[in-house]
Amino acid sequence: MRKTSMTKVAAAAMAAAMMLTACGGGNAATATTAAPAADNGAATTQTEAASTGATITDTDIVVAMGADIVTMDPANQNDTTSSVLMNHVYNTLMEVNDDGELVGDLAESYEIVDDGKAYIFHLYENACFSDGTPVTAEDVKFTYERAMESAKTKSDVEAVESIEVIDEHTVKMNLKMVYAPFITKTTDSGLCILSKAATEAAGEAYGDVDTVLGSGAFIPTEWVPNDHYTLVRNENYWKETPIATSIEVRVIPEGSARTIALEAGEVDIVWNVDAIDCVNVEANPDVLLLSQPSASIEYMGMNTSKEKFSDVRVRQAINMAIGQQVFIDTIVEGRGTPANSYINAMIPGWTDEVTAYEYNIEKAKELMAEAGYPDGFDCSIYVNGDNRTRSATIVQAQLAEIGINVEISTYEWGALLEILTKGDHELFFLGWSNSSFDADGSTFALFHSSNFGATGNRAWLDDEQVDSLIEAAQVEVDHEKRMDLYKQLQFRLKELAPWVPMYYKDDNVGVRADLKGFRLHKGATHYIGNAHYEE
C-alpha cells in the first residue's frame, strides 16, 4: 500500500472535512485506509537474515540514556525519555513511522464523518495485549476518557466530546468541533492504548512494573529508578516479532560516561551522545555516530506569573542579553542551528520571517530600567543534566551584564519536572520535541492558558491573543490559512517573549559499528526492537 506523508494525510483529512461541510451531508463519510507501519529500513528480519546466510549471534541489547523514565503509565508522562518505553511496550491508534509518515498502528483504517466532527477507527482484529486478550474498542474508549482526567495528557483529547463503541473493533470519536490536528494527536505516547481490565485492577498502582499490560513488542520486567529498566520480547506480539530478545536501558547521566561505555562495548546504543563527545565517536572505528536534524527546540523559559518576569520589558531584555551563538559553539559544538522562533524549523508552520532578538546589552539595560529594575535583581534557574548546567553557567554570566544575578539549581530529571509543575520556579531550561510534525504539537500544550504546569505551559503564559490564534489554527481546515495563523502566533510569542528560544539541535545517536537493524526515526522515537548482531 502506498504510504502517504503525514502532512498529506492531514491535508487530505482536512480537505475531506471541508468537502463534507460544503455538501451539507451530515452523515456522509470518507474512508481512509491507514497505511501499515513500515519495517525499520535498515533492520534485517530473522527470516531475511536466514535467507542471506547470516547468523544472528546476539539479540540482548543494552542502551544508555541520560535520564530515567518518570513512569510506565502513558497518561502520567509527556516527556521524551518516558516515550521511549511507551513506544516499545504499547501501541497507539496511529503512529509516525521512521520517515515521518502518518501510518496505522492499532487502526487498520479510519473514516471522517459528521462534517468532519467525528472519526471512526477500525482496529486490527488480531491486535492483542501481551497476555493474549484482544485489544477492543472498549479499551480505546477507556484510554481516551482516562486521558481526559490527566494533566499531562488532557491537551491531546481537548477536542473530544464523547466516545462511542460501535462494535468490538470499531470506535467513534465525536469532536466538539472540526479539529485539524486530531488525527496526529492519536500518535502521542500519552494516548497509548491501555487494557481497561488490567488498569482498573491495578488502580492507582498502575504504572508499577508488575501492573503494566501493553500490546507492544516488549514487556517490562524490571525497573530500578535512576539505574535501569529491562524489557523482554513479547513472544505473542500481534505484529512482526522483533529480533531483539531483551532491551536493558541504563541511566547514565554524565555524557562522557555514556560515550566511554559505548566505546568499551558495555552498551550497544547511546541514545543521546553529547555534542562534545561526537568527535570521539566519529574517530573510533568500533562505533558509529548517527546524526540528523531534530524536531526539537532547546529553550530557556521564564515563569511569567512571577512578579519579576510578569513585565514583558524584562523578558525582552533577557532575550537581548542572551547571545545564542555561544551555545551553538560550546554546548552543541556546532551541531545545531540558532532558534529564530518558537517552532522547530522542521515543523510545517514554522516561518523564517520571525527573527530572534538581536544581542543588544545597552537596549536590554534600558528596558530593565523602564521596568523598574535599573540595578537588576536576584533570581534562580532550574536545570537538569550536564549540558543544561553548562548552559545555565553561560546564562549566569550573560545576565550579570544587565544586573541579573542567577543562582543555578541542578536536579534529576523527574524531580525537575515536579518542581516546574508546581510553578514555584523562575527561570528554567528545557527542550520540547514534536514527533507529530503538526504545529499544534509545538504550541497548544506549551502556550495556551488552559495548560499551565504539567501539561506543558511551564512559562505560565496567559494571553488572549495567543489563545485565540491557537484555537483558530486548530479549527482551520484550509492549510495555507492555518499556516498563516501559526506565523501570526510566532510573531505574537516573540513580542511576549516568555522564552529565550536557544537552538534547534541535531539528534546524535551512537551505536556499535557492527550493530544491525537500527535506524533513526525522523521524530527521534527510535525503535530498538530489531537491533541485533550477526556473523
Side-chain angles (χ1 to χ4, degrees), residues 300-444:
M300 185 181 76
M302 293 168 262
N303 188 341
T304 62
S305 70
K306 297 300 181 183
E307 181 178 357
K308 299 168 189 172
F309 302 100
S310 63
D311 193 312
V312 68
R313 292 169 295 186
V314 169
R315 302 196 300 268
Q316 290 173 346
I318 288 174
N319 270 267
M320 292 176 184
I322 300 295
Q324 291 175 307
Q325 193 59 46
V326 65
F327 296 90
I328 301 297
D329 295 339
T330 63
I331 302 299
V332 296
E333 301 282 326
R335 298 174 189 268
T337 57
N340 69 302
S341 187
Y342 288 70
I343 297 177
N344 182 281
M346 291 179 64
I347 307 299
W350 169 84
T351 177
D352 60 3
E353 294 180 32
V354 175
T355 57
Y357 280 89
E358 288 188 19
Y359 180 72
N360 190 329
I361 290 295
E362 293 308 312
K363 179 61 176 177
K365 288 180 178 178
E366 289 177 14
L367 288 172
M368 290 289 290
E370 289 176 14
Y373 299 103
D375 300 317
F377 52 72
D378 297 337
C379 66
S380 58
I381 186 168
Y382 294 88
V383 298
N384 77 292
D386 294 338
N387 278 351
R388 288 175 181 159
T389 300
R390 290 170 58 214
S391 294
T393 302
I394 296 172
V395 165
Q396 187 180 53
Q398 290 183 329
L399 293 188
E401 294 292 315
I402 58 172
I404 298 178
N405 302 309
V406 180
E407 179 183 358
I408 302 170
S409 296
T410 302
Y411 294 87
E412 173 271 326
W413 177 236
L416 175 67
L417 293 180
E418 286 296 323
I419 290 170
L420 300 184
T421 293
K422 293 177 182 177
D424 295 331
H425 58 284
E426 293 178 312
L427 300 175
F428 61 99
F429 256 105
L430 276 183
W432 184 266
S433 183
N434 181 356
S435 59
S436 74
F437 294 92
D438 187 288
D440 187 73
S442 297
T443 53
F444 178 50

Side-chain angles (χ1 to χ4, degrees), residues 173-230:
M173 305 279 183
N174 298 301
L175 308 185
K176 299 171 185 175
M177 63 283 192
V178 173
Y179 189 74
F182 177 72
I183 194 64
T184 63
K185 292 285 189 183
T186 65
T187 70
D188 192 88
S189 64
L191 297 179
C192 290
I193 303 304
L194 301 168
S195 162
K196 177 181 179 182
T199 309
E200 288 184 334
E204 293 184 1
Y206 190 81
D208 295 343
V209 67
D210 58 348
T211 67
V212 171
L213 182 62
S215 60
F218 289 85
I219 303 168
T221 58
E222 182 183 30
W223 180 21
V224 180
N226 297 315
D227 188 84
H228 74 278
Y229 64 84
T230 304

